[in-house]
Amino acid sequence: MRTRHSERHRLSRIGWLRAAVLGANDGILSTASLVVGVASAPQARPSDILIAGVAGLVAGAMSMAAGEYVSVSSQADSESAELELESRELRDDPKGEHKELAEIYVQRGLDRTLAEQVATQLMAHNALEAHARDELGLSDTTAARPLQAAIASAISFASGALLPLLAVIFSTRNLAAPVTVIVSLLGLAILGGLSAAMAGSPVVRGVVRVLFWGAAAMALTAAVGRLFGVAA
């Protein structure tokens, strides 16, 4: 019978969790701060506040997508260059590469005889894959995917940014700023708590941390909006 591996580890979801949390957190915080800043200006009309929020959502989502695409594309280029170099080394010096792979297994705890046998069998199966995984630390699960990363970042940012926008839409002009602050802080608290729980970190610490910086950002932009709005 085939044995099923029932253990569940959090490390397997750190990558996508980090990207999703950062994107949604940025979406809530940057859009809410922008909306609160504009709403705090006495002369701002409801349409001005909404336009600022929508513009912030679109610009932020595109910025996140572009930044993630460029960053992950650079990583993908580096990975391709490393694999190409490793492929040449395998072709030009297979014995040296075998010795190098065996030495890696020795350093991980295998005796030399077994390490050489493992290296021989893995290289016979797929030499490049063995060296990519055990020498370079590359695998299919960790491979850089620029387009996927860009789309995921844009979607997570836009999803977070919708929260303060909905707060603006369903509140009156006089209550736009306070309602946005309350709703956005609530969203940040939930997001911080969920991400901390999924990562195995203390939930209270995660919530307090995100609430502190969220409140600070919105307070600062509100002060700027009121100051320059009065001056204007």
Side-chain angles (χ1 to χ4, degrees):
M1 294 180 63
R2 186 176 180 178
T3 303
R4 297 182 62 185
H5 185 69
S6 59
E7 293 181 6
R8 300 176 63 185
H9 298 283
R10 297 185 179 95
L11 290 176
S12 62
R13 59 183 179 229
I14 284 179
W16 69 260
L17 175 62
R18 175 183 175 276
V21 168
L22 284 177
N25 185 80
D26 285 350
I28 294 175
L29 188 53
S30 62
T31 306
S33 298
L34 181 60
V35 164
V36 170
V38 174
S40 297
Q43 295 86 357
R45 297 169 298 177
S47 59
D48 297 330
I49 302 170
L50 186 58
I51 290 172
V54 173
L57 184 154
V58 175
M62 292 305 298
S63 177
M64 288 284 290
E68 196 72 11
Y69 186 84
V70 170
S71 174
V72 179
S73 292
S74 298
Q75 179 185 341
D77 292 341
S78 298
E79 291 177 0
S80 297
E82 289 293 331
L83 289 173
E84 185 177 347
L85 175 61
E86 194 64 32
S87 181
R88 288 200 304 268
E89 291 176 347
L90 285 167
R91 183 182 64 247
D92 298 338
D93 186 19
K95 290 184 178 179
E97 289 300 300
H98 177 276
K99 182 179 179 181
E100 184 178 28
L101 190 61
E103 189 61 35
I104 291 173
Y105 299 141
V106 169
Q107 293 176 3
R108 291 181 180 178
L110 298 183
D111 64 72
R112 188 163 298 278
T113 301
L114 181 57
E116 291 178 354
Q117 292 175 352
V118 171
T120 299
Q121 292 187 29
L122 288 178
M123 289 186 67
H125 175 69
N126 191 322
L128 183 58
E129 181 183 90
H131 280 268
R133 180 184 60 248
D134 296 323
E135 182 183 347
L136 304 178
L138 302 177
S139 67
D140 289 339
T141 57
T142 60
R145 295 177 175 84
L147 186 59
Q148 183 184 73
I151 293 174
S153 293
I155 290 175
S156 61
F157 183 96
S159 299
L162 280 175
L163 191 62
L165 274 183
L166 290 174
V168 170
I169 292 172
F170 291 105
S171 62
T172 63
R173 167 64 185 89
N174 293 335
L175 296 176
V179 168
T180 300
V181 169
I182 293 171
V183 171
S184 298
L185 287 178
L186 180 61
L188 288 173
I190 294 173
L191 187 62
L194 286 175
S195 62
M198 294 179 69
S201 302
V203 173
V204 174
R205 183 191 303 171
V207 171
V208 171
R209 184 166 47 202
V210 74
L211 283 179
F212 172 80
W213 289 107
M218 284 183 271
L220 181 60
T221 52
V224 170
R226 182 164 294 279
L227 176 65
F228 286 92
V230 171

